[in-house]
């Protein structure tokens, strides 16, 4: 009894372990339910190591365990489910390198408990075959188009038409995944989900893929393609600074505002609704899953204009409309790499060769391909010669005409291939020349030469203007220094006059000796001195005022110097007028017999 109780307690701890770890990631702070659901399911996928199992390996595991022979409504118990999961993970470890082995027991326990909690909420201890297939095919790794093709094979009839009852059953099972991660209110199953996805009556494979891979997809399954996009951008690096958290780089998605110029957010700030400055959460944002440098953008634009890049690519390849039976994909295995050597392809195939690449990587392969075509034509001719020996004479004319048509077709294909390769080479050279402009090309372009001349002329004008402004600044400061010396001398003379002889009068000739330097620098001269040379010949208070501190704006310096000169001149004129008035008053007193010992001292 004690051992049984301990096992139950351990099972309960393992059952809650995955959900406790998911809560610790704090995904609930993401304000958008679509991103929140996709992040939670992506966490479950990676924690259970399902992202390492490709959909083709999952289909092979279904076939190896005999699930393709069971009805969709058949039930399997938990012990058999554990056996199936064990085979999946042990086969995975065989494919992985020894340095990247996973903990099989832990992965089995986490995934088993998650599936039981999701699809066996009433604790019956059983799951249906269809629910297990739908869950594992949705949560495993691989391309979404391969997953949807397999799902369509499970819900379509023998003629390749989707059965709405089967699709409704699929929605019931797959929408239990968002409910399991506590997102049921946003993406739970409703009775109208089927008709909101497909209002049409007859749904074939291409229509099914068009609807589920559209942008945007059906609302109930909008989290499914987002989960695949999350897996694709986890390691994408964006060398851009986030406008909110100021992170110098971004990983994952990048979001750019369509209204605020240059405003970009990392996925963490956007998911949490952060915004600052003039930006608002109501602004439209564009999601970027890759980073292109300005050079790559220019190259892509040039290639697009030349027709090298298709403007609109379909979201998925177009498949034939006939039914893809067997629906269980029993004989489908993971595709193997195609032989790289075209000679091996020729020898392995008795029919027409299938090229591995539509465009050869280098023009040097052109002659090799021609030789292979010629060899294949010779072999066809030899086979035709052998067949004519075994055929009755009545069929000789027919065989000859067929061989002639084959040779003509081969010659036409060879010429067409040569023309295509030459055109590709020409476009490649034009693209390289357009994306990497050389100096010779710039010299041949008269527009670029004209712009360069205008820039040089503008630069010379700015340098001449700078030289003139600097010289004017020096002249103004020299004049200011002379005026300040003149004012000091005048003050000293008046002070000595007030303390000396009463008949002494201030000198009026000093004002006529104000230095007025002549501007010697013409407008067309080139600056040959630094800003510090502008202070040459200036001393005293002016040098001390203008030489200290951080160099200021030349325009402000000129304005300050002009104001100082104006104030100084005003003070000097007032002093001179006061002196003249004093002299006139003294002369008047002397004539009228006044007190000769009184001298009017001008106020400073």
């Amino acid at each position: 009894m004690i051992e049984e109780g301990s096992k139950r307690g351990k099972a309960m701890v393992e059952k809650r372990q995955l959900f406790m770890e998911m809560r610790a990631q704090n995904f609930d702070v993401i304000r958008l339910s679509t991103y929140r659901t996709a992040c939670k399911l992506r966490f479950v996928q990676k924690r259970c190591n399902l992202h390492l199992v490709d959909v083709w390996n999952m289909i092979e595991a279904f076939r190896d365990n005999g699930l393709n022979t069971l009805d969709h409504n058949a039930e399997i118990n938990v012990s058999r489910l554990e056996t199936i999961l064990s085979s999946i993970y042990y086969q995975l470890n065989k494919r992985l390198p020894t340095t990247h082995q996973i903990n099989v027991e832990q992965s089995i326990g986490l995934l088993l408990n998650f599936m039981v909690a999701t699809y066996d909420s009433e604790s019956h201890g059983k799951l249906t075959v269809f629910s297990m297939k739908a869950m594992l095919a949705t949560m495993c790794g691989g391309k979404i188009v391969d997953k949807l093709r397999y799902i369509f094979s499970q819900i379509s009839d023998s003629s390749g038409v989707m059965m709405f009852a089967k699709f409704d059953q699929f929605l019931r099972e797959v929408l239990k995944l968002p409910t399991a991660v506590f997102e049921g209110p946003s993406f739970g199953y409703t009775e109208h989900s089927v008709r909101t996805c497909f209002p049409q009556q007859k749904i074939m494979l291409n229509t099914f893929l068009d609807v589920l891979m559209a942008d945007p997809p059906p609302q109930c399954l909008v989290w499914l393609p987002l989960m695949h996009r999350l897996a694709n951008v986890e390691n994408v690096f964006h060398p851009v600074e986030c406008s909110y958290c100021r992170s110098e780089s971004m990983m994952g998605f990048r979001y750019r505002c369509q209204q605020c110029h240059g405003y970009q957010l990392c996925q963490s700030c956007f998911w949490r609704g952060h915004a600052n400055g003039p930006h608002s959460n109501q602004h439209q944002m564009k999601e970027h899953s890759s980073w292109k440098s300005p050079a790559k953008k220019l190259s892509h634009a040039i290639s697009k204009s030349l027709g090298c890049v298709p403007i609109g690519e379909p979201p998925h390849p177009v498949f034939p409309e006939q039914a893809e039976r067997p629906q269980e994909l029993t004989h489908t295995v993971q595709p193997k790499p195609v032989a790289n050597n075209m000679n091996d392809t020729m020898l392995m195939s008795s029919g027409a060769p299938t090229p591995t690449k539509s465009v050869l990587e280098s023009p040097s392969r052109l002659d090799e391909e021609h030789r292979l075509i010629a060899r294949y034509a010779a072999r066809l001719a030899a086979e035709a010669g052998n067949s004519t020996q075994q055929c009755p004479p009545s069929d000789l004319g027919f065989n000859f005409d067929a061989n002639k048509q084959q040779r003509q077709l081969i010659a036409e294909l060879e010429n067409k291939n040569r023309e295509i390769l030459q055109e590709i080479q020409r476009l490649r050279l034009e693209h390289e020349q357009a994306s990497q402009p050389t100096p010779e090309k710039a010299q041949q372009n008269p527009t670029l030469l004209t712009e360069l001349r205008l820039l040089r002329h503008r630069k010379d004008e700015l340098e001449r203007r700078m030289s003139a402004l600097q010289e004017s600044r020096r002249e103004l400061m020299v004049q200011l220094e002379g005026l300040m010396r003149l004012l000091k001398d005048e003050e000293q003379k008046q002070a000595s006059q007030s303390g000396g002889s009463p008949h002494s009068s201030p000198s009026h000739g000093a004002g006529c000796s104000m230095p007025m330097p002549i501007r010697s620098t013409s407008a067309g001269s080139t600056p040959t001195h630094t800003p510090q040379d502008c202070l040459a010949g200036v001393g005293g208070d002016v040098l001390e005022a203008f030489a200290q501190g951080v160099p200021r704006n030349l325009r402000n310096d000129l304005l300050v110097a002009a104001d100082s000169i104006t104030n100084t001149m005003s003070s000097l004129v007032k002093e001179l007028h006061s002196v003249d008035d004093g002299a006139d008053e003294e002369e008047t007193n002397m004539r009228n017999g006044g007190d000769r010992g009184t001298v009017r001292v001008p106020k400073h």
Side-chain angles (χ1 to χ4, degrees), residues 150-169:
Y150 173 72
I151 291 170
F152 185 82
S153 69
Q154 302 296 303
I155 62 176
S156 59
D157 57 14
S158 58
S159 60
V161 180
M162 187 189 76
M163 295 182 288
F164 282 90
K166 287 283 188 179
F167 180 69
D168 182 75
Q169 185 180 2

Side-chain angles (χ1 to χ4, degrees), residues 430-468:
E430 291 180 359
H431 168 64
E432 292 176 355
Q433 293 175 1
S435 60
Q436 296 180 357
T438 58
E440 292 79 10
K441 183 177 179 181
Q443 294 177 2
Q444 296 175 2
N445 193 338
T447 305
L448 293 178
L449 293 176
T450 305
E451 292 179 356
L452 288 175
R453 292 194 193 98
L454 292 176
L455 289 175
R456 292 195 185 101
H457 184 66
R458 180 61 177 168
K459 178 184 177 183
D460 295 338
E461 289 181 355
L462 292 175
E463 290 177 351
R464 290 194 294 268
R465 183 167 178 79
M466 180 64 70
S467 175

Side-chain angles (χ1 to χ4, degrees), residues 401-452:
D401 294 339
N403 293 334
K404 184 178 179 180
Q405 292 177 359
Q406 290 178 356
R407 287 195 296 271
Q408 291 178 354
L409 180 61
I410 291 172
E412 292 175 0
L413 292 175
E414 185 178 353
N415 293 331
K416 188 67 175 178
N417 188 30
R418 187 184 297 108
E419 294 174 359
I420 292 175
L421 291 175
Q422 291 176 356
E423 183 68 15
I424 290 173
Q425 182 66 17
R426 184 183 65 82
L427 293 176
R428 185 178 297 165
L429 292 175
E430 291 180 359
H431 168 64
E432 292 176 355
Q433 293 175 1
S435 60
Q436 296 180 357
T438 58
E440 292 79 10
K441 183 177 179 181
Q443 294 177 2
Q444 296 175 2
N445 193 338
T447 305
L448 293 178
L449 293 176
T450 305
E451 292 179 356
L452 288 175

Side-chain angles (χ1 to χ4, degrees), residues 349-540:
S349 175
S350 59
T354 303
T356 57
K357 295 182 180 180
S358 59
V359 179
L360 297 178
E361 295 179 353
S362 61
S364 62
R365 300 284 301 273
L366 180 62
D367 296 335
E368 180 182 359
E369 184 179 0
H370 291 330
R371 287 195 299 269
L372 293 174
I373 293 176
R375 186 184 305 172
Y376 180 63
R379 195 181 69 177
L380 287 177
E383 292 178 357
N386 295 332
S387 61
T388 54
Q389 296 177 1
Q390 300 176 0
C391 294
S394 60
D395 297 334
L396 290 177
F398 175 77
N399 291 333
F400 178 78
D401 294 339
N403 293 334
K404 184 178 179 180
Q405 292 177 359
Q406 290 178 356
R407 287 195 296 271
Q408 291 178 354
L409 180 61
I410 291 172
E412 292 175 0
L413 292 175
E414 185 178 353
N415 293 331
K416 188 67 175 178
N417 188 30
R418 187 184 297 108
E419 294 174 359
I420 292 175
L421 291 175
Q422 291 176 356
E423 183 68 15
I424 290 173
Q425 182 66 17
R426 184 183 65 82
L427 293 176
R428 185 178 297 165
L429 292 175
E430 291 180 359
H431 168 64
E432 292 176 355
Q433 293 175 1
S435 60
Q436 296 180 357
T438 58
E440 292 79 10
K441 183 177 179 181
Q443 294 177 2
Q444 296 175 2
N445 193 338
T447 305
L448 293 178
L449 293 176
T450 305
E451 292 179 356
L452 288 175
R453 292 194 193 98
L454 292 176
L455 289 175
R456 292 195 185 101
H457 184 66
R458 180 61 177 168
K459 178 184 177 183
D460 295 338
E461 289 181 355
L462 292 175
E463 290 177 351
R464 290 194 294 268
R465 183 167 178 79
M466 180 64 70
S467 175
L469 291 175
Q470 290 175 352
E471 185 64 25
S472 299
R473 179 191 181 202
R474 190 185 67 82
E475 293 172 0
L476 289 173
M477 287 191 290
V478 170
Q479 294 178 9
L480 180 60
E481 178 66 21
L483 292 174
M484 293 178 68
R485 283 200 303 267
L486 182 61
L487 181 60
K488 287 184 179 180
D489 294 339
E490 192 68 30
E491 291 176 351
Q492 291 176 0
K493 288 180 180 181
Q494 292 178 1
S496 61
Q497 182 181 6
S498 62
S501 173
H503 300 283
S504 62
S505 61
S507 175
H508 300 278
C512 300
S513 62
M514 181 177 62
M516 295 294 292
I518 300 175
R519 181 174 178 178
S520 60
T521 305
S522 62
S525 63
T526 305
T528 59
H529 55 271
T530 61
Q532 288 77 6
D533 296 335
C534 298
L535 302 177
V538 181

Side-chain angles (χ1 to χ4, degrees), residues 8-26:
R8 290 181 179 178
K10 183 179 180 180
M12 291 298 294
V13 171
E14 292 178 351
K15 185 176 181 179
R16 297 176 181 176
Q17 179 182 354
L18 183 63
F19 295 99
M20 292 173 63
E21 293 179 0
M22 184 178 65
R23 288 183 181 275
Q25 298 295 320
N26 200 20

Side-chain angles (χ1 to χ4, degrees), residues 119-160:
Y119 294 100
D120 188 24
S121 57
E122 298 181 359
S123 302
H124 292 307
K126 293 182 180 181
L127 279 75
T128 62
V129 173
F130 187 73
S131 62
M132 188 191 65
K133 284 185 177 182
M135 185 271 174
L136 293 177
T138 304
M139 294 294 292
C140 67
K143 298 180 179 179
I144 185 173
V145 63
D146 296 331
K147 295 181 180 182
L148 295 177
R149 285 184 65 193
Y150 173 72
I151 291 170
F152 185 82
S153 69
Q154 302 296 303
I155 62 176
S156 59
D157 57 14
S158 58
S159 60

Side-chain angles (χ1 to χ4, degrees), residues 35 38-39 42 45-46 51 142 223-239 249-255 265-268 270-271 286-292:
Y35 288 93
C39 288
R42 176 62 178 168
Q45 183 190 45
K46 294 181 66 175
H51 66 295
W223 51 269
L224 181 58
L226 179 58
M227 185 176 68
H228 287 79
R229 295 206 309 271
L230 279 174
N232 294 331
V233 303
E234 282 183 347
N235 298 320
V236 175
F237 175 78
H238 304 269
S249 59
M250 304 180 190
M251 294 292 292
F253 286 118
R254 173 170 55 91
Y255 298 90
L265 293 176
C266 61
Q267 66 177 17
S268 178
F270 175 75
W271 289 352
K286 185 176 181 180
E287 183 181 273
H288 295 272
S289 58
S290 61
W291 163 257
K292 288 184 180 180

Side-chain angles (χ1 to χ4, degrees), residues 57-68 80 87 91:
N57 302 125
M58 192 65 72
I59 296 171
E60 186 179 0
F62 294 161
R63 181 192 60 192
D64 293 341
N65 288 275
L67 297 180
N68 57 322
R80 185 174 180 185
S87 66
Q91 289 295 327

